[in-house]
Amino acid sequence: MASTFASRIENLIHRVLTVERGVLLAVLSLALTANAPLAAAQKIELSVDVSKTGAKIDRNIFGQFAEHLGHGIYEGIWVGPDSPIPNTRGIRNDVVAALKAIKVPNVRWPGGCFADEYHWRDGIGAQRVVRLNPNWGGVIEPDTFGTHEFMDFIDQIGADAYVSVNVGSGTPHEAADWLEYMTAAQQTTLAKERAANGHPGPYKIARLGLGNESWDCGGNMTPDYYLSQMKIYSRFVRNYNPEQQKQQMLKIAVGPGGGESRWTDWTETIMQAYQHHTWSWDIDGLSMHSYTVVKWPPSYKSFDFGETEYAQILKSTLEMDDLIKKHSAIMDKYDPQKKVALIVDEWGGWYAPLPGSHPGFLLQQNSLRDAILAALNLNIFARNADRVRGANIAQMINVLQAMILTDKEKIVLTPTYYVFKMYVPFQDATLIPVTFDAGTYARDDIKLPRVDAIAAKDTTGKLWLEITNVDPNAPVEVAVSLTGINAKSAAGETLTGAKVDSINNFDAPNTVVPKPISAKAQSGKLTLKLDPKSVTVVSIEQ
Ligand code: AHR
């Protein structure tokens, strides 16, 4: 007993000393930080040779994904015509205005895992079928938002439809009927039903997903089993829209979800079959899903984290490049002409659900780290533009790495939203190779390229440059030399924040917003001074 008492006292003294030492260290470090000058700017030379051109950056790499999951659809897009929240035919006006500004090329819908349990007839006509959503919290799915509401929504924002059909629990017959319902111009029974439901003309379906993650939530199929199913859907699920007979709908097969052998086998199986495909089936794209997670189940915080988590997440996100290269190399073996596009139709940071939120709703915050993560991935897609001709960030509103967060009538545009806005000039632009020595940013044992950059000529011939400064501690001074044009100045926007985990929320929606930046050329060089942890897009004036 006496010895226990003594050790308790010893313990207490130790804890008091530790706390005091901690307080002392914190005060010292505060004092040091307050007086510390900003780290010296790192100097980088970057060359752009405008006479050399690369592939076209397909605007569809800026695609969005909207699944019936949490508040992605209901409350995020759909509030219903009787809502006090301003809306057009039930669709939020504030959300539409924000999405129009980022020129969303296409929206993937209705899932995700949800797509392989979706029955389209539940979501048309006056009597909607109320079901459960077993994948995402087992909540009520009212099916109020169905085909017509989705088409109205994408029409309001000016995007194309990327519809995923149900291969997991549906039938080819059901999917074929859905496509006929949406696209037939002639007076078939299904086209008449569509007209009776308010849309006499056929809809345009730009992209068609033949299932979703069929190796997992889409039915846990083997590659061979999926292949035999996919051929049937590819053959019978037809688009009848007369305007799409020339500019046809892209059929996208389920592809890999990682780099391990089960995924490389999957890509091999589909692409080998594609090489010898007959007239009766075809595909135009192979999907790939890759989230930045680090640990499963997702446990990294989406807010209130430190520099180590910042570096870990960005290190992990850069693996996207190797993954694309790995699967592109397999595709090249069977499709050297690159007819089949790689479509990264689910990507983004996936973190722990926000405390107090429904864990099945995948609600997370969106920080400056996500803005940088988005820029790094968009640059990877752009550099692989000869094969990557589509990508869909997961997901558009209130789910995972969202563009927009809503809470009843309130709306917040996230740092990721602003990156997509700044990148609009890169939509359909032609890649121009850039050369630079990126340098290194190190945190603990993690090493990352300090800087990333892409350049491209837009459809009007204007040159654009994007530079990401990954280093959260040091500004960077980039001296840009341009061959092939006489650059006079550069102007555009830069996005940064006070901390790597700075966020926009309903109380402070403008914490991370783009600010103007410009530079004048001197002796033929443009020098851009970029803040630590920033994303910058400028156009070059001649
Ligand atoms: O985006 C959330 C889920 O992630 C999708 O429903 C599924 O396809 C993937 O596993």
Side-chain angles (χ1 to χ4, degrees), residues 77-83 85-94 96-97 145 149 152-153 156:
I77 298 173
W78 180 259
V79 286
D82 303 328
S83 169
I85 298 171
N87 68 84
T88 302
R89 294 180 294 280
I91 293 161
R92 290 181 78 125
N93 293 345
D94 50 1
V96 168
F145 189 90
E149 292 75 21
D152 189 9
F153 165 62
Q156 288 189 37

PDB file of all heavy atoms in Angstrom, residues 77-83 85-94 96-97 145 149 152-153 156:
ATOM      1  N   ILE A  77     -29.005  18.927 -54.099  1.00  0.00           N
ATOM      2  CA  ILE A  77     -29.521  19.401 -55.396  1.00  0.00           C
ATOM      3  C   ILE A  77     -31.022  19.638 -55.284  1.00  0.00           C
ATOM      4  O   ILE A  77     -31.535  20.686 -55.641  1.00  0.00           O
ATOM      5  CB  ILE A  77     -29.282  18.340 -56.504  1.00  0.00           C
ATOM      6  CG1 ILE A  77     -27.786  18.075 -56.696  1.00  0.00           C
ATOM      7  CG2 ILE A  77     -29.939  18.780 -57.805  1.00  0.00           C
ATOM      8  CD1 ILE A  77     -27.471  16.916 -57.649  1.00  0.00           C
ATOM      9  N   TRP A  78     -31.696  18.644 -54.751  1.00  0.00           N
ATOM     10  CA  TRP A  78     -33.161  18.612 -54.785  1.00  0.00           C
ATOM     11  C   TRP A  78     -33.756  19.077 -53.455  1.00  0.00           C
ATOM     12  O   TRP A  78     -33.442  18.491 -52.412  1.00  0.00           O
ATOM     13  CB  TRP A  78     -33.633  17.187 -55.075  1.00  0.00           C
ATOM     14  CG  TRP A  78     -35.123  17.045 -55.140  1.00  0.00           C
ATOM     15  CD1 TRP A  78     -35.939  16.556 -54.163  1.00  0.00           C
ATOM     16  CD2 TRP A  78     -35.970  17.409 -56.222  1.00  0.00           C
ATOM     17  NE1 TRP A  78     -37.240  16.584 -54.575  1.00  0.00           N
ATOM     18  CE2 TRP A  78     -37.294  17.098 -55.845  1.00  0.00           C
ATOM     19  CE3 TRP A  78     -35.747  17.967 -57.482  1.00  0.00           C
ATOM     20  CZ2 TRP A  78     -38.385  17.334 -56.688  1.00  0.00           C
ATOM     21  CZ3 TRP A  78     -36.822  18.189 -58.323  1.00  0.00           C
ATOM     22  CH2 TRP A  78     -38.122  17.877 -57.919  1.00  0.00           C
ATOM     23  N   VAL A  79     -34.574  20.136 -53.510  1.00  0.00           N
ATOM     24  CA  VAL A  79     -35.286  20.552 -52.298  1.00  0.00           C
ATOM     25  C   VAL A  79     -36.796  20.481 -52.521  1.00  0.00           C
ATOM     26  O   VAL A  79     -37.572  20.631 -51.580  1.00  0.00           O
ATOM     27  CB  VAL A  79     -34.872  21.984 -51.849  1.00  0.00           C
ATOM     28  CG1 VAL A  79     -33.480  21.983 -51.236  1.00  0.00           C
ATOM     29  CG2 VAL A  79     -34.955  22.983 -52.995  1.00  0.00           C
ATOM     30  N   GLY A  80     -37.193  20.237 -53.772  1.00  0.00           N
ATOM     31  CA  GLY A  80     -38.620  20.143 -54.093  1.00  0.00           C
ATOM     32  C   GLY A  80     -39.192  21.505 -54.430  1.00  0.00           C
ATOM     33  O   GLY A  80     -38.744  22.526 -53.907  1.00  0.00           O
ATOM     34  N   PRO A  81     -40.197  21.521 -55.308  1.00  0.00           N
ATOM     35  CA  PRO A  81     -40.755  22.795 -55.782  1.00  0.00           C
ATOM     36  C   PRO A  81     -41.409  23.633 -54.677  1.00  0.00           C
ATOM     37  O   PRO A  81     -41.522  24.861 -54.817  1.00  0.00           O
ATOM     38  CB  PRO A  81     -41.781  22.384 -56.838  1.00  0.00           C
ATOM     39  CG  PRO A  81     -41.874  20.909 -56.789  1.00  0.00           C
ATOM     40  CD  PRO A  81     -40.781  20.348 -55.951  1.00  0.00           C
ATOM     41  N   ASP A  82     -41.844  23.007 -53.586  1.00  0.00           N
ATOM     42  CA  ASP A  82     -42.527  23.757 -52.525  1.00  0.00           C
ATOM     43  C   ASP A  82     -41.585  24.270 -51.443  1.00  0.00           C
ATOM     44  O   ASP A  82     -42.024  24.853 -50.451  1.00  0.00           O
ATOM     45  CB  ASP A  82     -43.608  22.870 -51.871  1.00  0.00           C
ATOM     46  CG  ASP A  82     -44.600  22.374 -52.896  1.00  0.00           C
ATOM     47  OD1 ASP A  82     -44.847  23.115 -53.880  1.00  0.00           O
ATOM     48  OD2 ASP A  82     -45.101  21.240 -52.754  1.00  0.00           O
ATOM     49  N   SER A  83     -40.299  24.062 -51.630  1.00  0.00           N
ATOM     50  CA  SER A  83     -39.335  24.479 -50.600  1.00  0.00           C
ATOM     51  C   SER A  83     -39.213  25.997 -50.543  1.00  0.00           C
ATOM     52  O   SER A  83     -39.276  26.677 -51.572  1.00  0.00           O
ATOM     53  CB  SER A  83     -37.962  23.883 -50.937  1.00  0.00           C
ATOM     54  OG  SER A  83     -36.972  24.453 -50.127  1.00  0.00           O
ATOM     55  N   ILE A  85     -36.500  27.346 -50.002  1.00  0.00           N
ATOM     56  CA  ILE A  85     -35.176  27.590 -50.607  1.00  0.00           C
ATOM     57  C   ILE A  85     -35.405  27.850 -52.096  1.00  0.00           C
ATOM     58  O   ILE A  85     -36.051  27.030 -52.779  1.00  0.00           O
ATOM     59  CB  ILE A  85     -34.253  26.367 -50.387  1.00  0.00           C
ATOM     60  CG1 ILE A  85     -34.032  26.142 -48.887  1.00  0.00           C
ATOM     61  CG2 ILE A  85     -32.921  26.537 -51.114  1.00  0.00           C
ATOM     62  CD1 ILE A  85     -33.332  24.859 -48.509  1.00  0.00           C
ATOM     63  N   PRO A  86     -34.901  28.991 -52.614  1.00  0.00           N
ATOM     64  CA  PRO A  86     -35.174  29.315 -54.027  1.00  0.00           C
ATOM     65  C   PRO A  86     -34.762  28.175 -54.959  1.00  0.00           C
ATOM     66  O   PRO A  86     -33.642  27.657 -54.863  1.00  0.00           O
ATOM     67  CB  PRO A  86     -34.336  30.577 -54.267  1.00  0.00           C
ATOM     68  CG  PRO A  86     -34.167  31.185 -52.906  1.00  0.00           C
ATOM     69  CD  PRO A  86     -34.120  30.039 -51.943  1.00  0.00           C
ATOM     70  N   ASN A  87     -35.703  27.778 -55.813  1.00  0.00           N
ATOM     71  CA  ASN A  87     -35.444  26.621 -56.675  1.00  0.00           C
ATOM     72  C   ASN A  87     -36.179  26.755 -58.000  1.00  0.00           C
ATOM     73  O   ASN A  87     -37.120  27.537 -58.120  1.00  0.00           O
ATOM     74  CB  ASN A  87     -35.889  25.340 -55.956  1.00  0.00           C
ATOM     75  CG  ASN A  87     -37.397  25.258 -55.799  1.00  0.00           C
ATOM     76  OD1 ASN A  87     -38.117  24.839 -56.698  1.00  0.00           O
ATOM     77  ND2 ASN A  87     -37.901  25.705 -54.647  1.00  0.00           N
ATOM     78  N   THR A  88     -35.737  25.985 -58.972  1.00  0.00           N
ATOM     79  CA  THR A  88     -36.435  25.911 -60.249  1.00  0.00           C
ATOM     80  C   THR A  88     -36.856  24.463 -60.446  1.00  0.00           C
ATOM     81  O   THR A  88     -36.009  23.570 -60.553  1.00  0.00           O
ATOM     82  CB  THR A  88     -35.497  26.371 -61.404  1.00  0.00           C
ATOM     83  OG1 THR A  88     -35.067  27.686 -61.116  1.00  0.00           O
ATOM     84  CG2 THR A  88     -36.209  26.332 -62.747  1.00  0.00           C
ATOM     85  N   ARG A  89     -38.155  24.249 -60.419  1.00  0.00           N
ATOM     86  CA  ARG A  89     -38.738  22.895 -60.510  1.00  0.00           C
ATOM     87  C   ARG A  89     -38.108  21.955 -59.493  1.00  0.00           C
ATOM     88  O   ARG A  89     -37.779  20.792 -59.790  1.00  0.00           O
ATOM     89  CB  ARG A  89     -38.606  22.346 -61.941  1.00  0.00           C
ATOM     90  CG  ARG A  89     -39.429  23.129 -62.974  1.00  0.00           C
ATOM     91  CD  ARG A  89     -39.269  22.560 -64.374  1.00  0.00           C
ATOM     92  NE  ARG A  89     -37.935  22.716 -64.902  1.00  0.00           N
ATOM     93  CZ  ARG A  89     -37.452  23.846 -65.436  1.00  0.00           C
ATOM     94  NH1 ARG A  89     -38.253  24.915 -65.520  1.00  0.00           N
ATOM     95  NH2 ARG A  89     -36.217  23.913 -65.876  1.00  0.00           N
ATOM     96  N   GLY A  90     -37.823  22.483 -58.278  1.00  0.00           N
ATOM     97  CA  GLY A  90     -37.334  21.636 -57.185  1.00  0.00           C
ATOM     98  C   GLY A  90     -35.819  21.599 -57.053  1.00  0.00           C
ATOM     99  O   GLY A  90     -35.283  21.050 -56.094  1.00  0.00           O
ATOM    100  N   ILE A  91     -35.105  22.198 -58.014  1.00  0.00           N
ATOM    101  CA  ILE A  91     -33.630  22.143 -58.011  1.00  0.00           C
ATOM    102  C   ILE A  91     -33.074  23.474 -57.517  1.00  0.00           C
ATOM    103  O   ILE A  91     -33.454  24.545 -58.020  1.00  0.00           O
ATOM    104  CB  ILE A  91     -33.133  21.806 -59.432  1.00  0.00           C
ATOM    105  CG1 ILE A  91     -33.570  20.373 -59.772  1.00  0.00           C
ATOM    106  CG2 ILE A  91     -31.621  21.971 -59.558  1.00  0.00           C
ATOM    107  CD1 ILE A  91     -33.584  20.032 -61.222  1.00  0.00           C
ATOM    108  N   ARG A  92     -32.189  23.423 -56.534  1.00  0.00           N
ATOM    109  CA  ARG A  92     -31.665  24.633 -55.868  1.00  0.00           C
ATOM    110  C   ARG A  92     -31.017  25.593 -56.860  1.00  0.00           C
ATOM    111  O   ARG A  92     -30.098  25.220 -57.586  1.00  0.00           O
ATOM    112  CB  ARG A  92     -30.578  24.271 -54.852  1.00  0.00           C
ATOM    113  CG  ARG A  92     -31.033  23.559 -53.621  1.00  0.00           C
ATOM    114  CD  ARG A  92     -29.827  23.297 -52.731  1.00  0.00           C
ATOM    115  NE  ARG A  92     -29.448  24.515 -52.023  1.00  0.00           N
ATOM    116  CZ  ARG A  92     -29.332  24.619 -50.695  1.00  0.00           C
ATOM    117  NH1 ARG A  92     -29.544  23.569 -49.939  1.00  0.00           N
ATOM    118  NH2 ARG A  92     -28.980  25.759 -50.132  1.00  0.00           N
ATOM    119  N   ASN A  93     -31.451  26.870 -56.829  1.00  0.00           N
ATOM    120  CA  ASN A  93     -30.887  27.875 -57.739  1.00  0.00           C
ATOM    121  C   ASN A  93     -29.439  28.223 -57.384  1.00  0.00           C
ATOM    122  O   ASN A  93     -28.622  28.467 -58.262  1.00  0.00           O
ATOM    123  CB  ASN A  93     -31.716  29.163 -57.698  1.00  0.00           C
ATOM    124  CG  ASN A  93     -33.097  28.958 -58.284  1.00  0.00           C
ATOM    125  OD1 ASN A  93     -33.341  27.947 -58.962  1.00  0.00           O
ATOM    126  ND2 ASN A  93     -34.006  29.887 -58.036  1.00  0.00           N
ATOM    127  N   ASP A  94     -29.134  28.261 -56.052  1.00  0.00           N
ATOM    128  CA  ASP A  94     -27.768  28.648 -55.664  1.00  0.00           C
ATOM    129  C   ASP A  94     -26.752  27.600 -56.122  1.00  0.00           C
ATOM    130  O   ASP A  94     -25.659  27.923 -56.605  1.00  0.00           O
ATOM    131  CB  ASP A  94     -27.663  28.889 -54.147  1.00  0.00           C
ATOM    132  CG  ASP A  94     -28.236  27.767 -53.291  1.00  0.00           C
ATOM    133  OD1 ASP A  94     -28.716  26.755 -53.858  1.00  0.00           O
ATOM    134  OD2 ASP A  94     -28.195  27.883 -52.043  1.00  0.00           O
ATOM    135  N   VAL A  96     -27.163  25.513 -58.697  1.00  0.00           N
ATOM    136  CA  VAL A  96     -27.075  25.584 -60.165  1.00  0.00           C
ATOM    137  C   VAL A  96     -26.136  26.725 -60.572  1.00  0.00           C
ATOM    138  O   VAL A  96     -25.248  26.547 -61.416  1.00  0.00           O
ATOM    139  CB  VAL A  96     -28.482  25.755 -60.793  1.00  0.00           C
ATOM    140  CG1 VAL A  96     -28.396  26.135 -62.266  1.00  0.00           C
ATOM    141  CG2 VAL A  96     -29.281  24.461 -60.629  1.00  0.00           C
ATOM    142  N   ALA A  97     -26.292  27.899 -59.953  1.00  0.00           N
ATOM    143  CA  ALA A  97     -25.446  29.057 -60.318  1.00  0.00           C
ATOM    144  C   ALA A  97     -23.970  28.732 -60.063  1.00  0.00           C
ATOM    145  O   ALA A  97     -23.102  29.018 -60.891  1.00  0.00           O
ATOM    146  CB  ALA A  97     -25.870  30.286 -59.527  1.00  0.00           C
ATOM    147  N   PHE A 145     -36.266  12.197 -56.935  1.00  0.00           N
ATOM    148  CA  PHE A 145     -35.293  12.643 -57.932  1.00  0.00           C
ATOM    149  C   PHE A 145     -35.007  11.434 -58.815  1.00  0.00           C
ATOM    150  O   PHE A 145     -34.337  10.482 -58.402  1.00  0.00           O
ATOM    151  CB  PHE A 145     -34.022  13.135 -57.223  1.00  0.00           C
ATOM    152  CG  PHE A 145     -33.031  13.826 -58.131  1.00  0.00           C
ATOM    153  CD1 PHE A 145     -33.094  15.197 -58.347  1.00  0.00           C
ATOM    154  CD2 PHE A 145     -32.013  13.107 -58.752  1.00  0.00           C
ATOM    155  CE1 PHE A 145     -32.163  15.846 -59.166  1.00  0.00           C
ATOM    156  CE2 PHE A 145     -31.085  13.746 -59.575  1.00  0.00           C
ATOM    157  CZ  PHE A 145     -31.154  15.113 -59.778  1.00  0.00           C
ATOM    158  N   GLU A 149     -35.838  14.503 -63.366  1.00  0.00           N
ATOM    159  CA  GLU A 149     -35.252  15.527 -62.482  1.00  0.00           C
ATOM    160  C   GLU A 149     -33.746  15.624 -62.738  1.00  0.00           C
ATOM    161  O   GLU A 149     -33.190  16.719 -62.768  1.00  0.00           O
ATOM    162  CB  GLU A 149     -35.536  15.192 -61.013  1.00  0.00           C
ATOM    163  CG  GLU A 149     -37.008  15.307 -60.617  1.00  0.00           C
ATOM    164  CD  GLU A 149     -37.880  14.159 -61.122  1.00  0.00           C
ATOM    165  OE1 GLU A 149     -37.337  13.085 -61.440  1.00  0.00           O
ATOM    166  OE2 GLU A 149     -39.113  14.349 -61.217  1.00  0.00           O
ATOM    167  N   ASP A 152     -33.245  17.428 -66.011  1.00  0.00           N
ATOM    168  CA  ASP A 152     -33.547  18.854 -65.825  1.00  0.00           C
ATOM    169  C   ASP A 152     -32.346  19.541 -65.146  1.00  0.00           C
ATOM    170  O   ASP A 152     -31.897  20.610 -65.554  1.00  0.00           O
ATOM    171  CB  ASP A 152     -34.815  18.996 -64.966  1.00  0.00           C
ATOM    172  CG  ASP A 152     -35.314  20.434 -64.919  1.00  0.00           C
ATOM    173  OD1 ASP A 152     -34.781  21.281 -65.674  1.00  0.00           O
ATOM    174  OD2 ASP A 152     -36.227  20.722 -64.109  1.00  0.00           O
ATOM    175  N   PHE A 153     -31.816  18.856 -64.141  1.00  0.00           N
ATOM    176  CA  PHE A 153     -30.673  19.411 -63.394  1.00  0.00           C
ATOM    177  C   PHE A 153     -29.467  19.627 -64.314  1.00  0.00           C
ATOM    178  O   PHE A 153     -28.880  20.715 -64.356  1.00  0.00           O
ATOM    179  CB  PHE A 153     -30.317  18.463 -62.235  1.00  0.00           C
ATOM    180  CG  PHE A 153     -28.978  18.731 -61.619  1.00  0.00           C
ATOM    181  CD1 PHE A 153     -28.701  19.948 -61.004  1.00  0.00           C
ATOM    182  CD2 PHE A 153     -27.965  17.770 -61.677  1.00  0.00           C
ATOM    183  CE1 PHE A 153     -27.441  20.201 -60.449  1.00  0.00           C
ATOM    184  CE2 PHE A 153     -26.719  18.020 -61.131  1.00  0.00           C
ATOM    185  CZ  PHE A 153     -26.453  19.242 -60.524  1.00  0.00           C
ATOM    186  N   GLN A 156     -29.986  22.447 -66.595  1.00  0.00           N
ATOM    187  CA  GLN A 156     -29.852  23.762 -65.929  1.00  0.00           C
ATOM    188  C   GLN A 156     -28.381  24.139 -65.747  1.00  0.00           C
ATOM    189  O   GLN A 156     -28.034  25.315 -65.823  1.00  0.00           O
ATOM    190  CB  GLN A 156     -30.563  23.750 -64.572  1.00  0.00           C
ATOM    191  CG  GLN A 156     -32.088  23.735 -64.694  1.00  0.00           C
ATOM    192  CD  GLN A 156     -32.768  23.941 -63.339  1.00  0.00           C
ATOM    193  OE1 GLN A 156     -32.309  24.696 -62.494  1.00  0.00           O
ATOM    194  NE2 GLN A 156     -33.895  23.271 -63.145  1.00  0.00           N
TER     195      GLN A 156
END
